[in-house]
Amino acid sequence: MLTGAAGFIGSNLAHFLTSQDAYVVVYDKLTYAGNPASLEGIPCERMSFVKGDICDTELVYRTLCEYGIDAVFHLAAESHVDRSIDGPAAFIETNINGTFSMLTAARRYYESLDGERRSGFRFLHISTDEVYGSLGKTGYFTENTPYAPNSPYSASKASSDHLVRAWFHTYGLPVLTTNCSNNYGPRQFPEKLIPLIIHNALADKELPVYGDGKNIRDWLYVEDHCRALDTVMRLGVPGETYNVGGSCERQNIQIVKTICSILDELRPKAGGAKYEEQIKFVKDRPGHDRRYAIDASKIKRELGWQPQETFESGILKTIKWYLDNQQWIANILNGKYRCERLGLGGDEQ
Ligand code: NAD
């Protein structure tokens, strides 16, 4: 069962797992960030779709029972920092109460299992490196770094991490937690930096860069994250947390300039103009963390995971995907989703 798998990472995970012969049940409320079109291409015989809210404990429980779920990847969340600053309530509701609801349903279900089904059951909570706060010029986040969230988004994710930990220690639910750095790749909603810059560049709009553009993030290609999640699900030790990162630190302005120069090659502008000319520095986001960087040595050492893409190969694949899937972006921005295949009765807003 994959919660939030009509979103960015979840849909990539659904494609990845079904390509490895898994059967997945996607459970998603289809908020503005969820797009069933992101699941197109997955054979019907490998996937079921349940439209539901993770706060609906009964529906989560019924879904677990009906499909005889043996592993939960919990990705559903409100995920955009700027939105959490403008309207934190939805983040508290989905990220904290929703995770509480997931744990409640999963615990009831787990306690009804026996034998191998019980010993094999796992609940993997997908979290973020933002729970650790901001780094100075040096150092890395390890699994032992104290939590210091600075935005309503990261505070809500930190809360959910604590609940998941407590359900292991108090109730013995076999949980795992991953804290991952910034992802990029296909099917990301174009409000996040990389798809926003690609979309605006092609639409001849300004390319907004916060502050001085020197905030640093540690970027990971989404399929490498999916491989890490699959690895943790199969080999991770219940109760443990694993940091996941690509060791690809880049300043935001470097990212934007890289995208511009790749687009100059792949989709040159008329008259020799350069995409970089569209860059515009804008007022910084309040509480904007300066630097994130992950120490992923635990998952590498203990579980044998390694990222397969460099930033250079991943960003090229990503840009090519967006160039080839302009209609996907248009659909998601217009709120026009093709739902027929999933039996949802036409376009969803
Ligand atoms: P996303 O915003 O693209 O997708 C979120 C999905 O969750 C959407 O399909 C949405 O419809 C669904 N959803 C939201 N509220 C729901 C609810 N109440 N009930 C059911 N479904 C609901 O997010 P993403 O970028 O794919 O992130 C997925 C997870 O990974 C999140 O938990 C996020 O915190 C975590 N994460 C993301 C990144 C990143 O760089 N994107 C990095 C580390 C961790």
Side-chain angles (χ1 to χ4, degrees):
M1 178 173 179
L2 276 59
T3 69
F8 167 46
I9 299 171
S11 62
N12 282 285
L13 183 62
H15 281 272
F16 177 78
L17 293 174
T18 52
S19 75
Q20 311 279 310
D21 281 356
Y23 182 88
V24 301
V25 177
V26 171
Y27 185 99
D28 200 295
K29 182 180 169 184
L30 297 180
T31 67
Y32 79 94
N35 182 3
S38 297
L39 298 164
E40 282 188 356
I42 297 177
C44 293
E45 61 276 14
R46 295 237 153 265
M47 182 182 70
S48 295
F49 186 93
V50 177
K51 184 177 176 188
D53 191 327
I54 55 168
C55 297
D56 184 344
T57 316
E58 265 318 297
L59 184 57
V60 173
Y61 177 68
R62 283 211 310 277
T63 305
L64 290 163
C65 295
E66 191 172 316
Y67 291 95
I69 298 295
D70 49 25
V72 177
F73 292 85
H74 175 39
L75 299 109
E78 289 289 340
S79 69
H80 190 45
V81 176
D82 289 347
R83 286 181 190 256
S84 82
I85 296 168
D86 293 343
F91 289 70
I92 307 304
E93 181 62 9
T94 287
N95 299 0
I96 305 178
N97 291 339
T99 300
F100 168 60
S101 161
M102 287 297 301
L103 290 165
T104 304
R107 180 184 160 213
R108 186 171 155 207
Y109 174 69
Y110 174 65
E111 287 176 353
S112 74
L113 301 175
D114 49 27
E116 280 183 11
R117 305 243 12 249
R118 186 181 170 92
S119 57
F121 182 79
R122 296 287 183 273
F123 182 103
L124 170 50
H125 174 61
I126 286 85
S127 193
T128 166
D129 61 353
E130 303 198 24
V131 298
Y132 298 124
S134 188
L135 286 166
K137 287 201 169 89
T138 58
Y140 296 91
F141 297 134
T142 74
E143 289 79 1
N144 297 321
T145 301
Y147 276 33
N150 291 321
S151 72
Y153 164 65
S154 54
S156 67
K157 291 296 290 187
S159 300
S160 66
D161 293 7
H162 293 323
L163 290 174
V164 170
R165 177 189 159 90
W167 258 242
F168 174 75
H169 287 283
T170 306
Y171 303 114
L173 189 70
V175 301
L176 300 142
T177 298
T178 51
N179 293 89
C180 187
S181 58
N182 280 49
N183 283 216
Y184 66 99
R187 307 181 192 90
Q188 187 170 28
F189 192 85
E191 65 185 355
K192 306 280 170 70
L193 179 69
I194 288 179
L196 176 80
I197 295 301
I198 299 170
H199 175 71
N200 280 12
L202 296 172
D204 211 18
K205 292 183 180 164
E206 282 176 353
L207 309 180
V209 177
Y210 278 131
D212 61 4
K214 293 193 176 151
N215 299 68
I216 293 176
R217 299 293 179 262
D218 177 355
W219 293 91
L220 181 69
Y221 188 63
V222 66
E223 207 172 287
D224 279 327
H225 188 193
C226 295
R227 278 194 200 91
L229 296 176
D230 186 38
T231 304
V232 171
M233 182 60 94
R234 288 175 195 280
L235 304 175
V237 177
E240 290 293 314
T241 67
Y242 298 90
N243 280 358
V244 186
S247 303
C248 277
E249 287 185 54
R250 295 286 186 283
Q251 294 178 342
N252 288 349
I253 187 67
Q254 289 177 300
I255 299 281
V256 174
K257 287 187 173 173
T258 302
I259 294 170
C260 288
S261 64
I262 294 174
L263 283 176
D264 284 336
E265 290 278 315
L266 297 180
R267 193 61 63 90
K269 287 173 74 152
K274 298 289 176 200
Y275 286 100
E276 262 193 51
E277 293 159 24
Q278 292 168 232
I279 293 175
K280 174 140 198 275
F281 290 92
V282 298
K283 190 170 176 297
D284 209 352
R285 161 198 279 171
H288 200 180
D289 290 335
R290 194 65 175 169
R291 174 171 169 258
Y292 302 148
I294 282 272
D295 174 350
S297 54
K298 179 177 174 184
I299 186 174
K300 290 179 181 170
R301 187 180 60 247
E302 295 185 8
L303 307 185
W305 171 84
Q306 283 284 350
Q308 295 186 4
E309 300 290 343
T310 62
F311 185 73
E312 287 62 38
S313 64
I315 195 70
L316 189 60
K317 280 188 181 180
T318 303
I319 292 174
K320 285 184 173 164
W321 188 89
Y322 284 99
L323 287 173
D324 291 344
N325 290 276
Q326 291 289 295
Q327 193 54 46
W328 179 90
I329 298 192
N331 281 350
I332 195 166
L333 287 175
N334 294 332
K336 288 204 182 304
Y337 307 149
R338 284 180 288 154
C339 300
E340 305 84 21
R341 222 188 104 241
L342 299 167
L344 295 178
D347 287 348
E348 280 279 333
Q349 286 296 326

